[in-house]
Amino acid sequence: MPTLNLYTNVPVDTVVASDILKDATKAVAKIIGKPESVKCRFFSFLSFSLGPKYLRMTCYLHCSRTVRRYFHYVMILLNGSVPIAFAGTEAPAAYGELISIGGLGPSVNGKLSSTIAEILETKLSIDCSRFYIKLYDVQRSFFGFNGSTF
């Protein structure tokens, strides 16, 4: 469930946005050590017969490669053309917030910061010195999904 919100004052066209979303999704999943998405073959059956907490527990135990529906996601939000002033100028800049249930720590946070900064520099020409990122490691009960919490 890692979620990355990115805001930039640079206009972002559809093609570049798609590239950033793909690159950031792969990077966040790999660095944090969580899958981009996990499919669970038991999801269809269990969603009709059991509650969400049992479903979640069962899917954690039984996820496999033989699959039908997605269960977990890395989410990336990209907001372009947002008015931002950084260090007194409106030159290209960005701000990000990454929220995750576990997986964060000093070494991981540094890798996330540098990798996301590199993506923004490559795709949008935003210098890494004009990018802040805030990282949150939250408890399961503080993040909702599918009408419940994790």
Side-chain angles (χ1 to χ4, degrees), residues 61-75:
L61 296 173
H62 297 289
C63 285
S64 72
R65 293 184 193 153
T66 327
V67 294
R68 295 195 181 178
R69 303 244 177 148
Y70 289 101
F71 189 66
H72 302 290
Y73 298 95
V74 169
M75 180 183 281

Side-chain angles (χ1 to χ4, degrees), residues 71-120:
F71 189 66
H72 302 290
Y73 298 95
V74 169
M75 180 183 281
I76 310 293
L77 293 86
L78 179 60
N79 303 283
S81 300
V82 176
I84 297 176
F86 187 95
T89 74
E90 294 180 38
Y95 173 73
E97 292 183 344
L98 186 128
I99 304 153
S100 182
I101 299 172
L104 300 179
S107 65
V108 169
N109 295 355
K111 289 176 189 170
L112 284 167
S113 182
S114 65
T115 302
I116 300 302
E118 183 180 315
I119 291 168
L120 294 174

Side-chain angles (χ1 to χ4, degrees), residues 1-5 7 28 32 34 52-53 56 60 71-77 97-102 104 134-150:
M1 64 59 45
T3 302
L4 175 63
N5 295 293
Y7 304 90
V28 167
I32 293 179
K34 296 192 178 190
K53 292 190 188 268
R56 184 171 51 250
Y60 280 128
F71 189 66
H72 302 290
Y73 298 95
V74 169
M75 180 183 281
I76 310 293
L77 293 86
E97 292 183 344
L98 186 128
I99 304 153
S100 182
I101 299 172
L104 300 179
K134 186 172 183 179
L135 303 142
Y136 299 93
D137 195 347
V138 299
Q139 296 174 22
R140 293 182 176 284
S141 61
F142 288 103
F143 214 94
F145 169 71
N146 199 24
S148 185
T149 58
F150 282 90

